[in-house]
Each structure stands twice: as C-alpha cells, then as structure tokens.
Amino acid sequence: MLSLALLALLPVSTAHFVLTWPTNRGFDDAKSTNFPCGGFDSVKTPRTDFPLTGGPIQLDMHHTQTNIEVLLSIGSDPGSNYNLVLRRTFAQEGLGDFCAGEVSIPAGLNITSGTLATIQVVSNGDPDGGLYQCADVTLVDTPLSTADYNSHCKNGTGVKVTSENIQGNPNETTTETTPSASSSGTGTGTGTASSSTSTPGLAVHATAASWLFGAVGVAGLALL
Ligand SMILES: *[C@@H]1O[C@H](CO)[C@@H](O)[C@H](O)[C@H]1NC(C)=O
Ligand SMILES: *[C@@H]1O[C@H](CO)[C@@H](O)[C@H](O)[C@H]1NC(C)=O
Ligand SMILES: *[C@@H]1O[C@H](CO)[C@@H](O)[C@H](O)[C@H]1NC(C)=O
C-alpha cells in the first residue's frame, strides 16, 4: 500500500516535452494539456517534408520519465482524427534531447509522395490526462540526407527507452511502467517484456528506484 502511495506521487514529475522535429505547430506549457494539439488547432505552414520511408521524431524532454506515443492523421487539416499509430506507447527516461528513433509510414496504406498529414505526439499528463503536440508535414519519397538526419536525431546523455508496446494511449496512463507497475497490472506490455522473471524483491527495488527518480525530477523542477 505504501509503495502504491509513493507511485501516486510519480506523475507530478513526469511528462512535459517539446516536439522539436518535425517542426511543431507551437508549444505553450499552459495549453499543452488540450487535446488534440496542445492548444494549436490551426495547421502551420510551411509544412516539414517527412520521409515516407522513415524519419526521426526529435523531442526535448523536461521530466525524468515519460510515456510517449506517435500518431498520424492523413489530410490537409485533420482535426482530431489521429487514427494511425506510428509508434505504440513506450516509456522513456532522461532529460533533454531524445530522438525517438525513426518512424515510417505503414506501406500497406499506399500513401503517395506529396500527401499532406499531421503527426501528433502524445505523452502522459501532469498528473493525469495527456500532453499533446502536433507537426504538419508533407509525406515525401525522399529520405533525409545524413546531415539532416544527424541534426534531427540526437540523444542527451543517459536518455533511454525503458519499455515498449505499452497498452493504451499515454493520456490514459499515469505512471511509468516499471517491473512493479507491470506486475500490478497497469500499463502491461503485450509482448515478452512482462513475462521476464520479475520477483517480488525485484519489484520492491524497482518501485523504490522509480520513486527516487521522481524525487530527483521534483528537485530538478524546483531548480528551474
Ligand atoms: C536515440 O535513442 C533511441 C532510443 O534508445 C534510439 O532508438 C535512437 O536510435 C538513438 N539515436 C541516436 C542518433 O543515437
Ligand atoms: C494498396 O495497394 C495494393 C496493391 O495495389 C492493394 O492490394 C491494397 O488493397 C491497397 N491498400 C489500400 C489500403 O488501399
Ligand atoms: C487520448 O489520445 C488519443 C490519441 O490522440 C485520443 O484519440 C483520445 O481521444 C485521447 N483521450 C482523451 C481522454 O483525451
């Protein structure tokens, strides 16, 4: 019970982020909880050319732990219909630059070069709900040059992905998925990760560790 109470404190230190590439519509901390695009409801031009075959999603992470999902909506002004999942919910740790790898547009959709679309990045909220940012793109056949890729895909020190394929959207999850969270049934992965050998002792240890990260996050906030 105590550990559950401690976990409940975690979201306070999670989840703010800025989508830095592709270029976001805008970021306003006060409105970032507004679905679908953090308060920026109008398409922004010029759009960013985004490779159909795969492009990086570059984020700037402001908190120590965040659940993230990348979605896509096809069309010139898609409203709130982000019905295509480019990357399922995953958990990330670490501050600053985070390149969420490459996402590519599912080939089966037969999307042609020049198609207009909007990418939405969703994270878990603060303390609940979600945080949203969008980038308006033109999907193109041309891959990024090595130089462009390198300038749009950077990781800060210690930034890492801690868990993949978490069920549900991040705006419906409030805590980082640690081994203890998985064993209590929240945010369980669908795949092999949750079947790893997680002993009660390990779970307690992980809970204590994630609380510590949370405390560090709060301390970090106080310094800003
Ligand atoms: C950044 O880290 C992510 C997650 O670990 C990884 O997928 C990506 O390839 C890394 N990118 C670079 C340029 O290091
Ligand atoms: C994509 O193209 C293939 C081959 O022409 C076709 O079989 C398939 O139904 C198309 N998919 C969609 C979603 O239109
Ligand atoms: C959570 O995000 C998803 C994906 O954008 C969206 O479809 C859903 O409506 C959101 N839920 C809430 C409660 O805002």
Side-chain angles (χ1 to χ4, degrees), residues 12 14 17 53 68 72 78-79 84 111-112 118 151 156 174 178 210 222:
V12 174
T14 62
F17 73 95
T53 50
I68 304 164
L72 182 76
L84 299 170
I111 290 168
T112 53
T118 302
S151 68
T174 53
T178 62
S210 53

PDB file of all heavy atoms in Angstrom, residues 12 14 17 53 68 72 78-79 84 111-112 118 151 156 174 178 210 222:
ATOM      1  N   VAL A  12       3.665  13.649 -10.817  1.00  0.00           N
ATOM      2  CA  VAL A  12       3.993  15.061 -10.617  1.00  0.00           C
ATOM      3  C   VAL A  12       5.278  15.415 -11.364  1.00  0.00           C
ATOM      4  O   VAL A  12       5.432  16.517 -11.865  1.00  0.00           O
ATOM      5  CB  VAL A  12       4.149  15.354  -9.111  1.00  0.00           C
ATOM      6  CG1 VAL A  12       4.641  16.773  -8.883  1.00  0.00           C
ATOM      7  CG2 VAL A  12       2.816  15.126  -8.416  1.00  0.00           C
ATOM      8  N   THR A  14       6.483  13.856 -14.097  1.00  0.00           N
ATOM      9  CA  THR A  14       6.599  13.244 -15.420  1.00  0.00           C
ATOM     10  C   THR A  14       6.000  14.126 -16.505  1.00  0.00           C
ATOM     11  O   THR A  14       5.158  14.977 -16.235  1.00  0.00           O
ATOM     12  CB  THR A  14       5.874  11.890 -15.477  1.00  0.00           C
ATOM     13  OG1 THR A  14       4.512  12.102 -15.232  1.00  0.00           O
ATOM     14  CG2 THR A  14       6.468  10.912 -14.508  1.00  0.00           C
ATOM     15  N   PHE A  17       7.111  17.840 -22.451  1.00  0.00           N
ATOM     16  CA  PHE A  17       8.075  17.659 -23.539  1.00  0.00           C
ATOM     17  C   PHE A  17       7.790  18.681 -24.634  1.00  0.00           C
ATOM     18  O   PHE A  17       6.700  19.250 -24.695  1.00  0.00           O
ATOM     19  CB  PHE A  17       7.971  16.243 -24.123  1.00  0.00           C
ATOM     20  CG  PHE A  17       6.732  16.033 -24.946  1.00  0.00           C
ATOM     21  CD1 PHE A  17       6.768  16.192 -26.331  1.00  0.00           C
ATOM     22  CD2 PHE A  17       5.524  15.701 -24.360  1.00  0.00           C
ATOM     23  CE1 PHE A  17       5.623  16.029 -27.112  1.00  0.00           C
ATOM     24  CE2 PHE A  17       4.377  15.539 -25.126  1.00  0.00           C
ATOM     25  CZ  PHE A  17       4.426  15.702 -26.499  1.00  0.00           C
ATOM     26  N   THR A  53       9.564   6.725 -45.996  1.00  0.00           N
ATOM     27  CA  THR A  53      10.318   5.525 -45.644  1.00  0.00           C
ATOM     28  C   THR A  53      10.865   5.556 -44.222  1.00  0.00           C
ATOM     29  O   THR A  53      11.440   4.582 -43.767  1.00  0.00           O
ATOM     30  CB  THR A  53      11.514   5.366 -46.591  1.00  0.00           C
ATOM     31  OG1 THR A  53      12.213   6.624 -46.624  1.00  0.00           O
ATOM     32  CG2 THR A  53      11.061   4.995 -47.987  1.00  0.00           C
ATOM     33  N   ILE A  68       5.205   7.857 -24.058  1.00  0.00           N
ATOM     34  CA  ILE A  68       5.073   8.582 -25.330  1.00  0.00           C
ATOM     35  C   ILE A  68       4.426   7.687 -26.383  1.00  0.00           C
ATOM     36  O   ILE A  68       4.690   6.486 -26.435  1.00  0.00           O
ATOM     37  CB  ILE A  68       6.476   9.002 -25.834  1.00  0.00           C
ATOM     38  CG1 ILE A  68       7.209   9.840 -24.784  1.00  0.00           C
ATOM     39  CG2 ILE A  68       6.378   9.776 -27.163  1.00  0.00           C
ATOM     40  CD1 ILE A  68       8.692   9.972 -25.034  1.00  0.00           C
ATOM     41  N   LEU A  72      -0.539   9.491 -36.400  1.00  0.00           N
ATOM     42  CA  LEU A  72      -0.576  10.210 -37.670  1.00  0.00           C
ATOM     43  C   LEU A  72      -2.015  10.360 -38.115  1.00  0.00           C
ATOM     44  O   LEU A  72      -2.856   9.479 -37.899  1.00  0.00           O
ATOM     45  CB  LEU A  72       0.195   9.417 -38.737  1.00  0.00           C
ATOM     46  CG  LEU A  72       0.283  10.063 -40.124  1.00  0.00           C
ATOM     47  CD1 LEU A  72       1.314  11.189 -40.110  1.00  0.00           C
ATOM     48  CD2 LEU A  72       0.664   9.032 -41.185  1.00  0.00           C
ATOM     49  N   PRO A  78      -6.552  17.705 -40.406  1.00  0.00           N
ATOM     50  CA  PRO A  78      -7.225  16.500 -39.922  1.00  0.00           C
ATOM     51  C   PRO A  78      -8.021  16.641 -38.628  1.00  0.00           C
ATOM     52  O   PRO A  78      -8.614  15.674 -38.175  1.00  0.00           O
ATOM     53  CB  PRO A  78      -6.066  15.514 -39.725  1.00  0.00           C
ATOM     54  CG  PRO A  78      -4.876  16.368 -39.509  1.00  0.00           C
ATOM     55  CD  PRO A  78      -5.093  17.644 -40.248  1.00  0.00           C
ATOM     56  N   GLY A  79      -8.075  17.810 -38.042  1.00  0.00           N
ATOM     57  CA  GLY A  79      -8.887  17.936 -36.833  1.00  0.00           C
ATOM     58  C   GLY A  79      -8.320  17.116 -35.702  1.00  0.00           C
ATOM     59  O   GLY A  79      -7.164  17.291 -35.327  1.00  0.00           O
ATOM     60  N   LEU A  84      -3.916   6.680 -37.007  1.00  0.00           N
ATOM     61  CA  LEU A  84      -2.838   5.768 -37.395  1.00  0.00           C
ATOM     62  C   LEU A  84      -1.722   5.820 -36.349  1.00  0.00           C
ATOM     63  O   LEU A  84      -1.244   6.905 -36.006  1.00  0.00           O
ATOM     64  CB  LEU A  84      -2.277   6.154 -38.762  1.00  0.00           C
ATOM     65  CG  LEU A  84      -3.275   6.111 -39.922  1.00  0.00           C
ATOM     66  CD1 LEU A  84      -2.655   6.741 -41.174  1.00  0.00           C
ATOM     67  CD2 LEU A  84      -3.689   4.671 -40.202  1.00  0.00           C
ATOM     68  N   ILE A 111       0.256   5.281 -49.424  1.00  0.00           N
ATOM     69  CA  ILE A 111       0.291   6.746 -49.441  1.00  0.00           C
ATOM     70  C   ILE A 111       1.339   7.215 -50.439  1.00  0.00           C
ATOM     71  O   ILE A 111       2.450   6.691 -50.487  1.00  0.00           O
ATOM     72  CB  ILE A 111       0.579   7.272 -48.025  1.00  0.00           C
ATOM     73  CG1 ILE A 111      -0.632   7.006 -47.144  1.00  0.00           C
ATOM     74  CG2 ILE A 111       0.915   8.759 -48.052  1.00  0.00           C
ATOM     75  CD1 ILE A 111      -0.385   7.220 -45.683  1.00  0.00           C
ATOM     76  N   THR A 112       0.953   8.194 -51.250  1.00  0.00           N
ATOM     77  CA  THR A 112       1.862   8.666 -52.296  1.00  0.00           C
ATOM     78  C   THR A 112       2.615   9.906 -51.833  1.00  0.00           C
ATOM     79  O   THR A 112       2.169  10.643 -50.939  1.00  0.00           O
ATOM     80  CB  THR A 112       1.084   9.005 -53.579  1.00  0.00           C
ATOM     81  OG1 THR A 112       0.041   9.910 -53.240  1.00  0.00           O
ATOM     82  CG2 THR A 112       0.480   7.747 -54.192  1.00  0.00           C
ATOM     83  N   THR A 118      -0.584  15.115 -40.579  1.00  0.00           N
ATOM     84  CA  THR A 118      -0.134  15.733 -39.331  1.00  0.00           C
ATOM     85  C   THR A 118       0.275  14.633 -38.359  1.00  0.00           C
ATOM     86  O   THR A 118      -0.437  13.649 -38.192  1.00  0.00           O
ATOM     87  CB  THR A 118      -1.242  16.619 -38.718  1.00  0.00           C
ATOM     88  OG1 THR A 118      -1.602  17.627 -39.671  1.00  0.00           O
ATOM     89  CG2 THR A 118      -0.776  17.286 -37.436  1.00  0.00           C
ATOM     90  N   SER A 151      21.197  16.016 -37.672  1.00  0.00           N
ATOM     91  CA  SER A 151      20.822  17.224 -36.937  1.00  0.00           C
ATOM     92  C   SER A 151      19.418  17.115 -36.350  1.00  0.00           C
ATOM     93  O   SER A 151      19.043  17.908 -35.486  1.00  0.00           O
ATOM     94  CB  SER A 151      20.956  18.465 -37.826  1.00  0.00           C
ATOM     95  OG  SER A 151      19.987  18.434 -38.838  1.00  0.00           O
ATOM     96  N   GLY A 156      20.390  13.005 -25.614  1.00  0.00           N
ATOM     97  CA  GLY A 156      21.173  13.520 -24.497  1.00  0.00           C
ATOM     98  C   GLY A 156      21.784  12.368 -23.717  1.00  0.00           C
ATOM     99  O   GLY A 156      21.417  11.202 -23.885  1.00  0.00           O
ATOM    100  N   THR A 174      -0.851   6.890 -16.189  1.00  0.00           N
ATOM    101  CA  THR A 174      -0.328   7.970 -15.362  1.00  0.00           C
ATOM    102  C   THR A 174       1.053   7.684 -14.795  1.00  0.00           C
ATOM    103  O   THR A 174       1.699   8.566 -14.281  1.00  0.00           O
ATOM    104  CB  THR A 174      -1.265   8.285 -14.183  1.00  0.00           C
ATOM    105  OG1 THR A 174      -1.522   7.077 -13.501  1.00  0.00           O
ATOM    106  CG2 THR A 174      -2.541   8.908 -14.671  1.00  0.00           C
ATOM    107  N   THR A 178       7.217   0.349 -14.629  1.00  0.00           N
ATOM    108  CA  THR A 178       8.364  -0.320 -14.025  1.00  0.00           C
ATOM    109  C   THR A 178       7.984  -1.782 -13.872  1.00  0.00           C
ATOM    110  O   THR A 178       6.814  -2.132 -14.025  1.00  0.00           O
ATOM    111  CB  THR A 178       8.649   0.271 -12.645  1.00  0.00           C
ATOM    112  OG1 THR A 178       7.500   0.031 -11.836  1.00  0.00           O
ATOM    113  CG2 THR A 178       8.903   1.763 -12.728  1.00  0.00           C
ATOM    114  N   SER A 210      12.157   3.944  -8.806  1.00  0.00           N
ATOM    115  CA  SER A 210      11.390   4.892  -9.602  1.00  0.00           C
ATOM    116  C   SER A 210      10.907   6.047  -8.731  1.00  0.00           C
ATOM    117  O   SER A 210      10.773   7.174  -9.212  1.00  0.00           O
ATOM    118  CB  SER A 210      10.224   4.206 -10.318  1.00  0.00           C
ATOM    119  OG  SER A 210       9.449   3.500  -9.415  1.00  0.00           O
ATOM    120  N   ALA A 222      12.339  22.279  -9.060  1.00  0.00           N
ATOM    121  CA  ALA A 222      12.495  23.362  -8.096  1.00  0.00           C
ATOM    122  C   ALA A 222      13.645  24.272  -8.489  1.00  0.00           C
ATOM    123  O   ALA A 222      13.664  25.450  -8.161  1.00  0.00           O
ATOM    124  CB  ALA A 222      12.724  22.777  -6.698  1.00  0.00           C
TER     125      ALA A 222
END
